[in-house]
Amino acid sequence: MWQLSSIPVVSRLAPTPSGFLHLGNAVNFTLTWLLTRQAGGTLHLRIDDLDRARFRPAYLENIFRTLEWLGLDYDYGPTGPADFERNFSQQHRLPEYEATLQAARLAHPRVFYACGCSRTELARQGVLAGSCPGTCRHAALTLSAPKAAWRAHVPSGSIVTIQDMAQGLVQIDLTAELGNFVVRKKDGVAAYQVASVLDDVRLGVTCVVRGLDLLPSTAAQLWLASQLPGQEGFRQVQFYHHALFTTSSGEKLSKSTQASSQRGIVEEADSPQVVYEAVAHLLGLPEQAATSLSVLRERIAQRHNGDTWASSV
Ligand SMILES: [Zn+2]
């Protein structure tokens, strides 16, 4: 159980400008904001634009517009698209990610290996695309080979234990979930899991709020933190994995329903109240708690007076 007052809470909103933000994103941001503000913590806006192929300026603008629409403020981060591009883009930190990967390769030569598998090759071998069976590891290709991705070798039976604020003790079989996952893509750019760990450590993040669907990612990042020099601090991060939001009738919205949000929640909803209602529902609060963000915050404070978030869900 996590007492809100026991550690300084530093958290972040981490949207990706690769699509318009949907209800699920808005629910996650609102939950993160409520938890951080209730704890008197510090909130960063940390935009993940590692994947520039799917980046569009309209998506970047939509992030700022959605936060304003939701009424969510933050303490550190870009003030707008131009400030983001100039001072906060992950593209500025590619050399830092690369230096850490090179140091990791030297520190753990048996963990990282070059993988030359193509999608077609993996399909031919009858394994899931994205997972290398380890044959490349035995082939011992050089890591400086062009067009080779780097993978981390996850030994069989690697179980990662997560003490989650919402879910309690969770055990993830990393070998089965992600296998030998990619840490550096074929184009030489660090993979999401690496950049995410480095950014969280750099910002001093102590608390991460994310959906249950990201549990395997959390496991991969916790495991990776021990393999990446200087990133051990990530293992102290506390996690709050929330259920994927449900409709008022308790019905789970499918991935396709969420993904159908072509124009984004700001364009599709009449008001942010639909988001506050979804948050209240997730936290088991009555609908009257969701008339506005301030009412929601107040109801949570009343309920959690001296209590923990963990006991509410
Ligand atoms: Zn391979």
Side-chain angles (χ1 to χ4, degrees):
M1 296 281 248
W2 179 57
Q3 297 296 331
L4 285 168
S5 55
S6 65
I7 56 161
V9 170
V10 180
S11 193
R12 81 294 197 278
L13 308 169
T16 305
S18 58
F20 294 114
L21 298 175
H22 53 67
L23 178 58
N25 300 120
V27 167
N28 173 268
F29 298 161
T30 305
L31 266 175
T32 308
W33 185 90
L34 286 164
L35 189 148
T36 309
R37 290 292 177 242
Q38 198 203 333
T42 304
L43 189 61
H44 291 265
L45 172 60
R46 202 206 82 181
I47 297 174
D48 283 340
D49 70 329
L50 201 58
D51 182 3
R52 289 298 279 200
R54 294 195 300 153
F55 173 92
R56 272 170 50 186
Y59 297 152
L60 181 61
E61 277 165 31
N62 177 252
I63 289 173
F64 294 97
R65 190 149 169 248
T66 305
L67 292 177
E68 201 184 339
W69 181 74
L70 288 168
L72 307 180
D73 62 348
Y74 49 91
D75 305 300
Y76 297 101
T79 53
D83 186 30
F84 171 74
E85 293 281 16
R86 209 168 27 241
N87 302 308
F88 292 89
S89 167
Q90 287 181 315
Q91 303 304 311
H92 301 311
R93 292 195 295 281
L94 296 185
E96 179 199 325
Y97 305 146
E98 174 66 6
T100 302
L101 280 167
Q102 294 291 351
R105 153 198 184 175
L106 291 174
H108 305 284
R110 294 165 70 86
V111 172
F112 300 99
Y113 70 93
C115 167
C117 292
S118 66
R119 275 173 197 274
T120 21
E121 229 170 290
L122 290 170
R124 189 174 53 78
Q125 291 172 23
V127 295
L128 285 172
S131 160
C132 171
T135 38
C136 294
R137 183 166 172 257
H138 299 300
L141 299 171
T142 165
L143 282 163
S144 51
K147 294 197 174 172
W150 291 16
R151 289 180 183 273
H153 171 58
V154 179
S156 61
S158 293
I159 307 290
V160 177
T161 302
I162 302 165
Q163 180 61 54
D164 190 81
M165 284 183 272
Q167 311 297 324
L169 199 68
V170 183
Q171 292 199 313
I172 302 289
D173 183 342
L174 187 58
T175 316
E177 291 284 349
L178 290 184
N180 294 337
F181 61 92
V182 172
V183 295
R184 186 177 183 263
K185 294 175 286 179
K186 283 186 178 177
D187 59 6
V189 174
Y192 158 77
Q193 309 288 13
V194 173
S196 189
V197 168
L198 263 68
D199 285 357
D200 281 341
V201 170
R202 187 177 50 85
L203 297 178
V205 167
T206 63
C207 175
V208 170
V209 180
R210 48 171 61 148
L212 269 179
D213 54 338
L214 286 178
L215 264 174
S217 266
T218 299
Q221 291 172 13
L222 283 167
W223 183 86
L224 201 52
S226 308
Q227 316 291 336
L228 298 174
Q231 309 307 311
E232 297 78 8
F234 186 80
R235 297 192 61 83
Q236 307 308 316
V237 172
Q238 305 219 37
F239 291 92
Y240 185 99
H241 287 87
H242 57 82
L244 298 179
F245 64 94
T246 50
T247 63
S248 51
S249 57
E251 192 182 316
K252 226 171 221 169
L253 287 184
S254 69
K255 267 236 162 85
S256 58
T257 314
Q258 290 182 51
S260 75
S261 183
Q262 301 275 326
R263 294 176 298 139
I265 183 71
V266 175
E267 294 295 329
E268 288 175 3
D270 296 331
S271 84
Q273 197 170 338
V274 62
V275 180
Y276 307 148
E277 279 171 11
V279 170
H281 186 73
L282 268 184
L283 295 174
L285 291 166
E287 256 177 40
Q288 310 88 279
T291 49
S292 72
L293 187 62
S294 52
V295 170
L296 190 55
R297 186 178 178 181
E298 210 168 290
R299 289 302 293 263
I300 290 172
Q302 284 166 3
R303 178 160 152 179
H304 289 272
N305 194 11
D307 200 351
T308 69
W309 271 68
S311 59
S312 71
V313 284

